[in-house]
Each structure stands twice: as C-alpha cells, then as structure tokens.
Amino acid sequence: MVFILDRILDKIEEFDCIVDKLLSKYPQADKHCKDGTRLFFGGKEIIELNFNNRLKVNDYLKKNPNDFGGTKKNLVIYPAKNTKQIQTDEHKQGKETADNIELIQQRNIKELRKKIRTKPKIVYSNFELFDYLKQQDLRAYIGIQHKRNFLDIFHEETEPSASIFESNKNNGHQLYKCFSTSNPFDGTIIQVTERLLKCSILEVKAFLMELYQVEIKESEQQKELKEVIDIYKELLQSDDLEELYPNFYKVFNRYGYLQDLYILLDLVKEYLPSGKDPRLLFFHSLETISKKFNKSKSVTHTRMNFLTFFNLISKLNFDEIPKELFEYQLKSKKRKGHKYLNSTYELNIYSYQFFNRLDDMCALWIEKGCTTKTVNYEGILRNFGREEADRVFPQDKGKIIPSLNKEVVHRIHKTTLELIETYGWTTEQEVLDNVKLYFKGQQEFKQKQFKICFGELLDGYDLERIRLNKELKEKLEIEGKGYGFIIKRREYIEEIMIDTPESYENHEIFD
C-alpha cells in the first residue's frame, strides 16, 4: 500500500516517526518497511482507493519542542470524516471468491466443462500431458473472473491474499500463490486440485484428463523404445555387469557415471518423441539435466562430454534431427523466448557388440591413466588425436592450444624423462614437485596439465604406469606403507628383476 504525503520529507527522523505510527496501526505490515534507506517494489497493477487522499505530515509527528512541530493526534487517514473508505466496484471485485471450488470438490465434470469450455486433446507422453495441463487457464478453472488478487480458496480471510501468475521459466505454466503468512501456498493446477480433492496424484491425473478431454496415445515406436530402455537399465543394475564388461564397470562406477547413465535413460523414457524414428532422442537443456544429475552445470557439461567420448550419446547436427522433433523444438524455443535451440542428443541403443567396443575403449582409458580432468579439447587431442577431439567438441574444432599449456606440458615431459633416466622410474607427484612454476594457482594448473598430457607422454616415449606390489617395492628399495603407481620404461622392470640398481636410497613413493 502506498501512502501519499502532503509534503516532501527531508529528515529521516520525520520518516521514522510516521512509519512507527503506521506500523502500530497496521501491525500485520512487513516490519522491514521501517528502513527508510530501502526501496520497495509493488505489483504490476494499481487498485485505487482514494488518490486524492493525503496524510498530513505534521499530524503524525510527536508534539515535542525537540521534534519538528505539529500537533499530536491519533493516526487517521484523511479525509477524517471518512471513517470507512468507500469501495469502488473494482475494489469489491478484489474480494471475489472462486465460483468453481464446489464443482471441483464434487467432481462435477459436466458443469465444469460448460464453464471452462474444454476441447479434446491428444498427447504422446506423461510429460506432454502435465505440460499441457499446467498451461491451462487456472483462473477459469477455479472460477475467478478478474485478474487481480482474490480471497484464498484454502482458508478464510477478509482481505484478498491469493493470486495467479505465469511462471518466470517461460514455459507457459500457471501458478497459484497465497501470500498470507498464516496459510502460504504455491502450486500449479496439479497441486491445487490435489489439495481441493484431498486425493492421490493418480486421481488428480485421471480427473484433469477427463475434465480437459486429454488422451495419451502412445505410438508403437514409443512402446518398443521403452522396452529397449528397460533392458538397458536392467543391464546397468545387473550383478553380472562387472564380470561381463570389467573395464567399463571400473571406469563408469569409479566416477558415478553408471548412476548418471541410469538417470539419463529414465529422462529419455519420459520424454520420448511421438514420431516413428527408431532412435532414443532427447533435447533437454543443460540446466534440466544438471538438476536431474543433482550436479552443477559445469560438472554436468563435463559428464555429457565424457558420455559423448565413449559414444554412449552423440550430438546431432540440425540436418540430422527428425522434422517433427525439430518443429517441436522451434515452438518450444519461441514460447520460452530462448535465443538458441537446445542441443539434440541420441542415446545409443544397447547391444552386445557395442558394449564390447565400449569395454575396449575403457581399457585404453585406464591404460593411459585418464581421469575426468582429461575431458576437454586439449586432453582428448593429446591422448586420442584431433579427429576425436573434434568429434567430442565440435564447437572447438581446430582449436589452437595456448602457448602456456604447451610450455608446461613440455616441462612435464622433459622432467619425467630426466627422472626416469636418473632413477629408472618416477611418480606423478615427483614430476610435479620438480616442475617449477611461479604464479597463483600454479599447483592446480600443473596437476590438470599432467592429467591432460599423461596418455600422450606414455605413448610418445614408450612408458607405462604400473601399480607397485610387495616384491617390486623390495627390489626398488621403495619405502612407505602404500602401493601407489610408478611411471617407467616398458622394459625397465624386466631388467631390474635381473640386476637390482644400487642408487635408489632417496627415491620414495607414498600412496
């Protein structure tokens, strides 16, 4: 509510005095309004009570010689003779109650259809169904004729505290909100109906489908793809997975990618397009996928690139997207006001042959000592070649590696070879300790570059990374409790078993 004064205030003490009295008169008001240094924004509409009304400043200032003059009076809203404000028709409308609540609670579909004037609609998935229902006119549904606030339908009140507005996600969904502090509520048509009918979500779904004459018509292609997804999901949860594909299990289970893949399959299953294309296609935004993964956007982006590298998913060019799906995406883009289309992915369908190839790729990944830090353009380029880097990161095709990255990788290579030449073997930590950089964040940068170039290092100089065992530690005279990894020439261990070197006293490794 805006109170208009009869003159400008130029002293904060005056403001404090007036606001204190207003808050004593209206104790339900937000106490934060007491701060005269804050700026408050109201709603989009103005409900005029009496625009000519003015609060006379001096009437609300304390009668005290040390104050700012004026006579002491109880708070009133001028003109004083109007002890009760006359309400206009528009103001009375703000207290209107919803007309359709009783019909909804009685589940009177026939009468509700007459009022709402629903039309038959065919959808092809639960996602399409709920998306369509949430876009329906919620005011028409509960029986509100105007666009202002109204009396909440879930509790008794004398002043309107409820409103309906469109979601700021640009998806067309309408939201009901009660702003009262005693009975706050937020929800779409789904939650509103669930609360009015006091029933399960399945009953809500059936009721709204009947009311809005919506039919879910699943295509034969969708049914087949859902069966494929269920078989895929069973494999990922199978006790046999580790024995069938040990390298795949080791790589994907280590980083939690099995769970991500399972979530992705569920996501694809819920949003299968209705066309006849026999592929598992999806086009969710990175934000949507990150929420499903329960991870940040940057981590989700890395994980999607990881799945792309292993050919579990592939990104489609615009000319590869089915016409029906592409047109749907264009409509979604326009409705949401987005600048770009979401990327369209294909999830490769499970087969024995495909997973055998995948297991071989994972074995190579392990051999090269790759980690999630390898999943960037430079990392894939150095370990698997430019063609693979361009495939996984088409937006970076032909990217030039920064000179600093090249210089640090050169030092890592040089230091590794020098240590191996001197001692016959080395470790990652020893290499990093001997590569000296002098800038903020250099330690993390060195570690990242080591992970990025490690596979290239092994291949380029015929090196290998092996885990120590008790026998090797004794032969190499390595101290410490752990059995970590060492980097060596491929033939070195065979040589050492025959002729144990004598100069390894200060060369230690810890797990």
Side-chain angles (χ1 to χ4, degrees), residues 410-436:
H410 172 72
R411 292 191 189 186
I412 290 172
H413 284 196
K414 185 173 182 293
T415 302
T416 303
L417 296 175
E418 287 175 349
L419 289 169
I420 290 176
E421 184 67 26
T422 303
Y423 301 106
W425 57 273
T426 188
T427 68
E428 175 182 340
Q429 190 57 53
E430 189 174 37
V431 172
L432 294 175
D433 289 343
N434 282 273
V435 174
K436 304 297 183 183

PDB file of all heavy atoms in Angstrom, residues 410-436:
ATOM      1  N   HIS A 410      55.529 -29.401 -22.062  1.00  0.00           N
ATOM      2  CA  HIS A 410      56.921 -29.671 -22.458  1.00  0.00           C
ATOM      3  C   HIS A 410      57.792 -29.906 -21.221  1.00  0.00           C
ATOM      4  O   HIS A 410      58.618 -30.831 -21.188  1.00  0.00           O
ATOM      5  CB  HIS A 410      57.464 -28.498 -23.279  1.00  0.00           C
ATOM      6  CG  HIS A 410      58.928 -28.592 -23.561  1.00  0.00           C
ATOM      7  ND1 HIS A 410      59.455 -29.499 -24.461  1.00  0.00           N
ATOM      8  CD2 HIS A 410      59.988 -27.897 -23.040  1.00  0.00           C
ATOM      9  CE1 HIS A 410      60.773 -29.367 -24.488  1.00  0.00           C
ATOM     10  NE2 HIS A 410      61.115 -28.389 -23.642  1.00  0.00           N
ATOM     11  N   ARG A 411      57.606 -29.078 -20.185  1.00  0.00           N
ATOM     12  CA  ARG A 411      58.397 -29.239 -18.960  1.00  0.00           C
ATOM     13  C   ARG A 411      58.053 -30.551 -18.248  1.00  0.00           C
ATOM     14  O   ARG A 411      58.930 -31.210 -17.670  1.00  0.00           O
ATOM     15  CB  ARG A 411      58.127 -28.063 -18.014  1.00  0.00           C
ATOM     16  CG  ARG A 411      58.653 -26.734 -18.513  1.00  0.00           C
ATOM     17  CD  ARG A 411      58.574 -25.705 -17.408  1.00  0.00           C
ATOM     18  NE  ARG A 411      58.856 -24.359 -17.884  1.00  0.00           N
ATOM     19  CZ  ARG A 411      58.971 -23.306 -17.096  1.00  0.00           C
ATOM     20  NH1 ARG A 411      58.823 -23.436 -15.780  1.00  0.00           N
ATOM     21  NH2 ARG A 411      59.219 -22.109 -17.588  1.00  0.00           N
ATOM     22  N   ILE A 412      56.772 -30.918 -18.254  1.00  0.00           N
ATOM     23  CA  ILE A 412      56.360 -32.182 -17.642  1.00  0.00           C
ATOM     24  C   ILE A 412      57.020 -33.359 -18.354  1.00  0.00           C
ATOM     25  O   ILE A 412      57.561 -34.275 -17.720  1.00  0.00           O
ATOM     26  CB  ILE A 412      54.826 -32.319 -17.657  1.00  0.00           C
ATOM     27  CG1 ILE A 412      54.204 -31.314 -16.677  1.00  0.00           C
ATOM     28  CG2 ILE A 412      54.390 -33.742 -17.311  1.00  0.00           C
ATOM     29  CD1 ILE A 412      52.694 -31.230 -16.747  1.00  0.00           C
ATOM     30  N   HIS A 413      56.992 -33.335 -19.681  1.00  0.00           N
ATOM     31  CA  HIS A 413      57.632 -34.400 -20.464  1.00  0.00           C
ATOM     32  C   HIS A 413      59.123 -34.458 -20.153  1.00  0.00           C
ATOM     33  O   HIS A 413      59.687 -35.534 -19.889  1.00  0.00           O
ATOM     34  CB  HIS A 413      57.428 -34.149 -21.953  1.00  0.00           C
ATOM     35  CG  HIS A 413      56.042 -34.479 -22.424  1.00  0.00           C
ATOM     36  ND1 HIS A 413      55.724 -34.645 -23.756  1.00  0.00           N
ATOM     37  CD2 HIS A 413      54.886 -34.672 -21.753  1.00  0.00           C
ATOM     38  CE1 HIS A 413      54.439 -34.923 -23.876  1.00  0.00           C
ATOM     39  NE2 HIS A 413      53.914 -34.937 -22.671  1.00  0.00           N
ATOM     40  N   LYS A 414      59.774 -33.318 -20.202  1.00  0.00           N
ATOM     41  CA  LYS A 414      61.226 -33.244 -20.001  1.00  0.00           C
ATOM     42  C   LYS A 414      61.610 -33.725 -18.596  1.00  0.00           C
ATOM     43  O   LYS A 414      62.546 -34.532 -18.425  1.00  0.00           O
ATOM     44  CB  LYS A 414      61.691 -31.803 -20.213  1.00  0.00           C
ATOM     45  CG  LYS A 414      63.199 -31.577 -20.152  1.00  0.00           C
ATOM     46  CD  LYS A 414      63.520 -30.140 -20.548  1.00  0.00           C
ATOM     47  CE  LYS A 414      65.028 -29.895 -20.545  1.00  0.00           C
ATOM     48  NZ  LYS A 414      65.610 -29.967 -19.190  1.00  0.00           N
ATOM     49  N   THR A 415      60.901 -33.264 -17.582  1.00  0.00           N
ATOM     50  CA  THR A 415      61.190 -33.646 -16.201  1.00  0.00           C
ATOM     51  C   THR A 415      60.975 -35.140 -15.988  1.00  0.00           C
ATOM     52  O   THR A 415      61.777 -35.808 -15.317  1.00  0.00           O
ATOM     53  CB  THR A 415      60.294 -32.847 -15.232  1.00  0.00           C
ATOM     54  OG1 THR A 415      60.511 -31.455 -15.444  1.00  0.00           O
ATOM     55  CG2 THR A 415      60.605 -33.206 -13.789  1.00  0.00           C
ATOM     56  N   THR A 416      59.876 -35.675 -16.546  1.00  0.00           N
ATOM     57  CA  THR A 416      59.594 -37.109 -16.415  1.00  0.00           C
ATOM     58  C   THR A 416      60.727 -37.938 -16.992  1.00  0.00           C
ATOM     59  O   THR A 416      61.217 -38.895 -16.357  1.00  0.00           O
ATOM     60  CB  THR A 416      58.281 -37.464 -17.123  1.00  0.00           C
ATOM     61  OG1 THR A 416      57.217 -36.685 -16.591  1.00  0.00           O
ATOM     62  CG2 THR A 416      57.947 -38.942 -16.940  1.00  0.00           C
ATOM     63  N   LEU A 417      61.179 -37.604 -18.191  1.00  0.00           N
ATOM     64  CA  LEU A 417      62.246 -38.360 -18.855  1.00  0.00           C
ATOM     65  C   LEU A 417      63.569 -38.249 -18.103  1.00  0.00           C
ATOM     66  O   LEU A 417      64.327 -39.226 -18.002  1.00  0.00           O
ATOM     67  CB  LEU A 417      62.411 -37.881 -20.295  1.00  0.00           C
ATOM     68  CG  LEU A 417      61.205 -38.127 -21.211  1.00  0.00           C
ATOM     69  CD1 LEU A 417      61.426 -37.502 -22.577  1.00  0.00           C
ATOM     70  CD2 LEU A 417      60.922 -39.611 -21.347  1.00  0.00           C
ATOM     71  N   GLU A 418      63.851 -37.072 -17.565  1.00  0.00           N
ATOM     72  CA  GLU A 418      65.100 -36.887 -16.813  1.00  0.00           C
ATOM     73  C   GLU A 418      65.105 -37.739 -15.541  1.00  0.00           C
ATOM     74  O   GLU A 418      66.120 -38.361 -15.196  1.00  0.00           O
ATOM     75  CB  GLU A 418      65.269 -35.412 -16.456  1.00  0.00           C
ATOM     76  CG  GLU A 418      65.647 -34.530 -17.643  1.00  0.00           C
ATOM     77  CD  GLU A 418      65.680 -33.056 -17.290  1.00  0.00           C
ATOM     78  OE1 GLU A 418      65.204 -32.702 -16.181  1.00  0.00           O
ATOM     79  OE2 GLU A 418      66.163 -32.265 -18.112  1.00  0.00           O
ATOM     80  N   LEU A 419      63.968 -37.774 -14.830  1.00  0.00           N
ATOM     81  CA  LEU A 419      63.879 -38.576 -13.609  1.00  0.00           C
ATOM     82  C   LEU A 419      63.980 -40.069 -13.913  1.00  0.00           C
ATOM     83  O   LEU A 419      64.625 -40.830 -13.164  1.00  0.00           O
ATOM     84  CB  LEU A 419      62.559 -38.270 -12.883  1.00  0.00           C
ATOM     85  CG  LEU A 419      62.472 -36.888 -12.227  1.00  0.00           C
ATOM     86  CD1 LEU A 419      61.051 -36.599 -11.783  1.00  0.00           C
ATOM     87  CD2 LEU A 419      63.421 -36.799 -11.029  1.00  0.00           C
ATOM     88  N   ILE A 420      63.346 -40.496 -15.001  1.00  0.00           N
ATOM     89  CA  ILE A 420      63.420 -41.909 -15.384  1.00  0.00           C
ATOM     90  C   ILE A 420      64.839 -42.268 -15.809  1.00  0.00           C
ATOM     91  O   ILE A 420      65.352 -43.354 -15.496  1.00  0.00           O
ATOM     92  CB  ILE A 420      62.407 -42.209 -16.505  1.00  0.00           C
ATOM     93  CG1 ILE A 420      60.976 -42.152 -15.944  1.00  0.00           C
ATOM     94  CG2 ILE A 420      62.666 -43.574 -17.131  1.00  0.00           C
ATOM     95  CD1 ILE A 420      59.891 -42.343 -16.969  1.00  0.00           C
ATOM     96  N   GLU A 421      65.501 -41.360 -16.514  1.00  0.00           N
ATOM     97  CA  GLU A 421      66.876 -41.592 -16.942  1.00  0.00           C
ATOM     98  C   GLU A 421      67.800 -41.741 -15.735  1.00  0.00           C
ATOM     99  O   GLU A 421      68.733 -42.560 -15.731  1.00  0.00           O
ATOM    100  CB  GLU A 421      67.346 -40.429 -17.822  1.00  0.00           C
ATOM    101  CG  GLU A 421      68.738 -40.589 -18.407  1.00  0.00           C
ATOM    102  CD  GLU A 421      68.822 -41.724 -19.419  1.00  0.00           C
ATOM    103  OE1 GLU A 421      67.795 -42.059 -20.041  1.00  0.00           O
ATOM    104  OE2 GLU A 421      69.924 -42.279 -19.582  1.00  0.00           O
ATOM    105  N   THR A 422      67.527 -40.961 -14.691  1.00  0.00           N
ATOM    106  CA  THR A 422      68.378 -40.980 -13.499  1.00  0.00           C
ATOM    107  C   THR A 422      68.096 -42.177 -12.606  1.00  0.00           C
ATOM    108  O   THR A 422      69.022 -42.864 -12.146  1.00  0.00           O
ATOM    109  CB  THR A 422      68.179 -39.690 -12.689  1.00  0.00           C
ATOM    110  OG1 THR A 422      68.462 -38.565 -13.526  1.00  0.00           O
ATOM    111  CG2 THR A 422      69.108 -39.664 -11.470  1.00  0.00           C
ATOM    112  N   TYR A 423      66.784 -42.449 -12.343  1.00  0.00           N
ATOM    113  CA  TYR A 423      66.433 -43.471 -11.365  1.00  0.00           C
ATOM    114  C   TYR A 423      65.808 -44.730 -11.971  1.00  0.00           C
ATOM    115  O   TYR A 423      65.650 -45.725 -11.277  1.00  0.00           O
ATOM    116  CB  TYR A 423      65.443 -42.893 -10.350  1.00  0.00           C
ATOM    117  CG  TYR A 423      65.987 -41.699  -9.604  1.00  0.00           C
ATOM    118  CD1 TYR A 423      65.535 -40.419  -9.889  1.00  0.00           C
ATOM    119  CD2 TYR A 423      66.947 -41.867  -8.611  1.00  0.00           C
ATOM    120  CE1 TYR A 423      66.030 -39.313  -9.202  1.00  0.00           C
ATOM    121  CE2 TYR A 423      67.445 -40.772  -7.916  1.00  0.00           C
ATOM    122  CZ  TYR A 423      66.984 -39.496  -8.219  1.00  0.00           C
ATOM    123  OH  TYR A 423      67.478 -38.416  -7.531  1.00  0.00           O
ATOM    124  N   GLY A 424      65.398 -44.659 -13.212  1.00  0.00           N
ATOM    125  CA  GLY A 424      64.736 -45.799 -13.844  1.00  0.00           C
ATOM    126  C   GLY A 424      63.223 -45.734 -13.746  1.00  0.00           C
ATOM    127  O   GLY A 424      62.518 -46.417 -14.484  1.00  0.00           O
ATOM    128  N   TRP A 425      62.695 -44.920 -12.850  1.00  0.00           N
ATOM    129  CA  TRP A 425      61.252 -44.765 -12.682  1.00  0.00           C
ATOM    130  C   TRP A 425      60.983 -43.456 -11.955  1.00  0.00           C
ATOM    131  O   TRP A 425      61.881 -42.849 -11.375  1.00  0.00           O
ATOM    132  CB  TRP A 425      60.650 -45.935 -11.909  1.00  0.00           C
ATOM    133  CG  TRP A 425      61.281 -46.137 -10.552  1.00  0.00           C
ATOM    134  CD1 TRP A 425      62.396 -46.875 -10.275  1.00  0.00           C
ATOM    135  CD2 TRP A 425      60.842 -45.582  -9.316  1.00  0.00           C
ATOM    136  NE1 TRP A 425      62.700 -46.821  -8.944  1.00  0.00           N
ATOM    137  CE2 TRP A 425      61.754 -46.035  -8.320  1.00  0.00           C
ATOM    138  CE3 TRP A 425      59.794 -44.761  -8.943  1.00  0.00           C
ATOM    139  CZ2 TRP A 425      61.632 -45.676  -6.980  1.00  0.00           C
ATOM    140  CZ3 TRP A 425      59.664 -44.411  -7.607  1.00  0.00           C
ATOM    141  CH2 TRP A 425      60.582 -44.863  -6.640  1.00  0.00           C
ATOM    142  N   THR A 426      59.726 -43.030 -11.934  1.00  0.00           N
ATOM    143  CA  THR A 426      59.332 -41.830 -11.198  1.00  0.00           C
ATOM    144  C   THR A 426      57.856 -41.915 -10.856  1.00  0.00           C
ATOM    145  O   THR A 426      57.185 -42.920 -11.160  1.00  0.00           O
ATOM    146  CB  THR A 426      59.633 -40.550 -12.020  1.00  0.00           C
ATOM    147  OG1 THR A 426      59.414 -39.403 -11.194  1.00  0.00           O
ATOM    148  CG2 THR A 426      58.733 -40.454 -13.253  1.00  0.00           C
ATOM    149  N   THR A 427      57.355 -40.886 -10.219  1.00  0.00           N
ATOM    150  CA  THR A 427      55.935 -40.816  -9.867  1.00  0.00           C
ATOM    151  C   THR A 427      55.368 -39.473 -10.313  1.00  0.00           C
ATOM    152  O   THR A 427      56.114 -38.519 -10.572  1.00  0.00           O
ATOM    153  CB  THR A 427      55.726 -40.936  -8.341  1.00  0.00           C
ATOM    154  OG1 THR A 427      56.253 -39.763  -7.713  1.00  0.00           O
ATOM    155  CG2 THR A 427      56.408 -42.178  -7.790  1.00  0.00           C
ATOM    156  N   GLU A 428      54.044 -39.405 -10.371  1.00  0.00           N
ATOM    157  CA  GLU A 428      53.383 -38.159 -10.752  1.00  0.00           C
ATOM    158  C   GLU A 428      53.754 -37.020  -9.808  1.00  0.00           C
ATOM    159  O   GLU A 428      54.096 -35.921 -10.243  1.00  0.00           O
ATOM    160  CB  GLU A 428      51.859 -38.350 -10.758  1.00  0.00           C
ATOM    161  CG  GLU A 428      51.081 -37.073 -11.023  1.00  0.00           C
ATOM    162  CD  GLU A 428      49.568 -37.278 -10.974  1.00  0.00           C
ATOM    163  OE1 GLU A 428      49.105 -38.432 -11.118  1.00  0.00           O
ATOM    164  OE2 GLU A 428      48.852 -36.270 -10.791  1.00  0.00           O
ATOM    165  N   GLN A 429      53.709 -37.303  -8.490  1.00  0.00           N
ATOM    166  CA  GLN A 429      53.996 -36.253  -7.523  1.00  0.00           C
ATOM    167  C   GLN A 429      55.427 -35.760  -7.629  1.00  0.00           C
ATOM    168  O   GLN A 429      55.696 -34.560  -7.515  1.00  0.00           O
ATOM    169  CB  GLN A 429      53.732 -36.768  -6.102  1.00  0.00           C
ATOM    170  CG  GLN A 429      53.771 -35.672  -5.040  1.00  0.00           C
ATOM    171  CD  GLN A 429      52.785 -34.554  -5.319  1.00  0.00           C
ATOM    172  OE1 GLN A 429      51.598 -34.804  -5.518  1.00  0.00           O
ATOM    173  NE2 GLN A 429      53.262 -33.319  -5.359  1.00  0.00           N
ATOM    174  N   GLU A 430      56.346 -36.688  -7.895  1.00  0.00           N
ATOM    175  CA  GLU A 430      57.748 -36.296  -8.027  1.00  0.00           C
ATOM    176  C   GLU A 430      57.954 -35.396  -9.242  1.00  0.00           C
ATOM    177  O   GLU A 430      58.706 -34.410  -9.189  1.00  0.00           O
ATOM    178  CB  GLU A 430      58.619 -37.550  -8.150  1.00  0.00           C
ATOM    179  CG  GLU A 430      60.116 -37.254  -8.081  1.00  0.00           C
ATOM    180  CD  GLU A 430      60.938 -38.522  -8.059  1.00  0.00           C
ATOM    181  OE1 GLU A 430      60.559 -39.486  -8.754  1.00  0.00           O
ATOM    182  OE2 GLU A 430      61.972 -38.543  -7.366  1.00  0.00           O
ATOM    183  N   VAL A 431      57.276 -35.716 -10.327  1.00  0.00           N
ATOM    184  CA  VAL A 431      57.378 -34.885 -11.531  1.00  0.00           C
ATOM    185  C   VAL A 431      56.846 -33.482 -11.243  1.00  0.00           C
ATOM    186  O   VAL A 431      57.483 -32.476 -11.565  1.00  0.00           O
ATOM    187  CB  VAL A 431      56.596 -35.520 -12.698  1.00  0.00           C
ATOM    188  CG1 VAL A 431      56.536 -34.559 -13.891  1.00  0.00           C
ATOM    189  CG2 VAL A 431      57.232 -36.835 -13.113  1.00  0.00           C
ATOM    190  N   LEU A 432      55.675 -33.417 -10.620  1.00  0.00           N
ATOM    191  CA  LEU A 432      55.065 -32.108 -10.330  1.00  0.00           C
ATOM    192  C   LEU A 432      55.920 -31.288  -9.379  1.00  0.00           C
ATOM    193  O   LEU A 432      56.023 -30.065  -9.504  1.00  0.00           O
ATOM    194  CB  LEU A 432      53.667 -32.308  -9.742  1.00  0.00           C
ATOM    195  CG  LEU A 432      52.617 -32.916 -10.682  1.00  0.00           C
ATOM    196  CD1 LEU A 432      51.312 -33.175  -9.946  1.00  0.00           C
ATOM    197  CD2 LEU A 432      52.377 -32.035 -11.888  1.00  0.00           C
ATOM    198  N   ASP A 433      56.562 -31.954  -8.412  1.00  0.00           N
ATOM    199  CA  ASP A 433      57.429 -31.232  -7.473  1.00  0.00           C
ATOM    200  C   ASP A 433      58.647 -30.636  -8.171  1.00  0.00           C
ATOM    201  O   ASP A 433      59.205 -29.634  -7.711  1.00  0.00           O
ATOM    202  CB  ASP A 433      57.881 -32.171  -6.351  1.00  0.00           C
ATOM    203  CG  ASP A 433      56.755 -32.523  -5.391  1.00  0.00           C
ATOM    204  OD1 ASP A 433      55.721 -31.803  -5.404  1.00  0.00           O
ATOM    205  OD2 ASP A 433      56.884 -33.518  -4.655  1.00  0.00           O
ATOM    206  N   ASN A 434      59.063 -31.257  -9.263  1.00  0.00           N
ATOM    207  CA  ASN A 434      60.266 -30.789  -9.965  1.00  0.00           C
ATOM    208  C   ASN A 434      59.968 -29.850 -11.122  1.00  0.00           C
ATOM    209  O   ASN A 434      60.894 -29.334 -11.749  1.00  0.00           O
ATOM    210  CB  ASN A 434      61.079 -31.988 -10.470  1.00  0.00           C
ATOM    211  CG  ASN A 434      61.881 -32.657  -9.375  1.00  0.00           C
ATOM    212  OD1 ASN A 434      63.008 -32.264  -9.079  1.00  0.00           O
ATOM    213  ND2 ASN A 434      61.285 -33.672  -8.751  1.00  0.00           N
ATOM    214  N   VAL A 435      58.699 -29.653 -11.425  1.00  0.00           N
ATOM    215  CA  VAL A 435      58.306 -28.655 -12.433  1.00  0.00           C
ATOM    216  C   VAL A 435      57.976 -27.371 -11.683  1.00  0.00           C
ATOM    217  O   VAL A 435      56.963 -27.279 -11.007  1.00  0.00           O
ATOM    218  CB  VAL A 435      57.089 -29.123 -13.259  1.00  0.00           C
ATOM    219  CG1 VAL A 435      56.619 -28.011 -14.202  1.00  0.00           C
ATOM    220  CG2 VAL A 435      57.433 -30.370 -14.066  1.00  0.00           C
ATOM    221  N   LYS A 436      58.841 -26.400 -11.782  1.00  0.00           N
ATOM    222  CA  LYS A 436      58.704 -25.173 -11.010  1.00  0.00           C
ATOM    223  C   LYS A 436      57.962 -24.100 -11.819  1.00  0.00           C
ATOM    224  O   LYS A 436      58.402 -23.718 -12.897  1.00  0.00           O
ATOM    225  CB  LYS A 436      60.088 -24.642 -10.584  1.00  0.00           C
ATOM    226  CG  LYS A 436      60.928 -25.637  -9.802  1.00  0.00           C
ATOM    227  CD  LYS A 436      60.269 -26.014  -8.475  1.00  0.00           C
ATOM    228  CE  LYS A 436      61.160 -26.959  -7.668  1.00  0.00           C
ATOM    229  NZ  LYS A 436      60.513 -27.388  -6.406  1.00  0.00           N
TER     230      LYS A 436
END
